[in-house]
């Protein structure tokens, strides 16, 4: 029973399924599976099992590679995540963080 490195004493701590770091529940986004799709639950009010994720496309990509969200939600089969990607893209502060495509390589200017 050590102290948590996540911040405020007495705050509820959850683990991001993408990066595995622990953080205050208020700093993470709850996601749930509804009708075969992973959707954001920012109010944390949807029924059923939830998983927590940082508001980062990087954490979502890590969770995808590890198949962590379906495992955390205890569902079998694949889940669509288009609505979650849209939600995260809207909340990103850094413009242009694509998750679907490979990194764009600049051709540079020939001088």
């Amino acid at each position: 029973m050590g102290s948590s490195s996540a911040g405020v004493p007495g705050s509820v701590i959850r683990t991001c399924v993408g990066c595995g770091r622990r953080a205050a529940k208020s700093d993470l986004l709850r996601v749930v599976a509804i009708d075969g799709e992973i959707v954001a639950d920012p109010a944390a009010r949807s029924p059923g099992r939830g998983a927590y994720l940082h508001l980062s496309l990087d954490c979502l990509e890590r969770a995808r590679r590890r198949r962590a969200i379906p495992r955390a939600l205890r569902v079998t089969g694949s889940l669509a995540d288009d609505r979650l990607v849209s939600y995260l893209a809207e909340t990103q502060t850094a413009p242009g963080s694509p998750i679907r495509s490979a990194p764009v390589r600049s051709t540079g200017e020939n001088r």
Side-chain angles (χ1 to χ4, degrees), residues 4-89:
S4 106
S5 61
V8 184
S11 65
V12 178
I13 304 300
R14 296 287 184 258
T15 301
C16 173
V17 295
C19 66
R21 289 189 315 224
R22 293 165 46 105
K25 182 178 175 182
S26 59
D27 294 338
L28 299 171
L29 173 68
R30 183 176 188 257
V31 296
V32 295
I34 298 177
D35 296 328
E37 185 172 16
I38 303 167
V39 296
D41 181 20
R45 300 278 187 242
S46 294
R49 180 171 288 277
Y52 290 86
L53 191 68
H54 281 107
L55 287 169
S56 159
L57 292 172
D58 290 334
C59 283
L60 176 58
E61 186 59 35
R62 288 179 187 175
R64 279 176 164 175
R65 279 185 271 151
R66 296 176 43 231
R67 296 183 184 101
I69 295 176
R71 186 172 54 247
L73 297 176
R74 297 186 183 170
V75 295
T76 57
S78 62
L79 295 170
D81 62 3
D82 297 334
R83 287 174 42 192
L84 179 59
V85 170
S86 297
Y87 180 87
L88 289 175

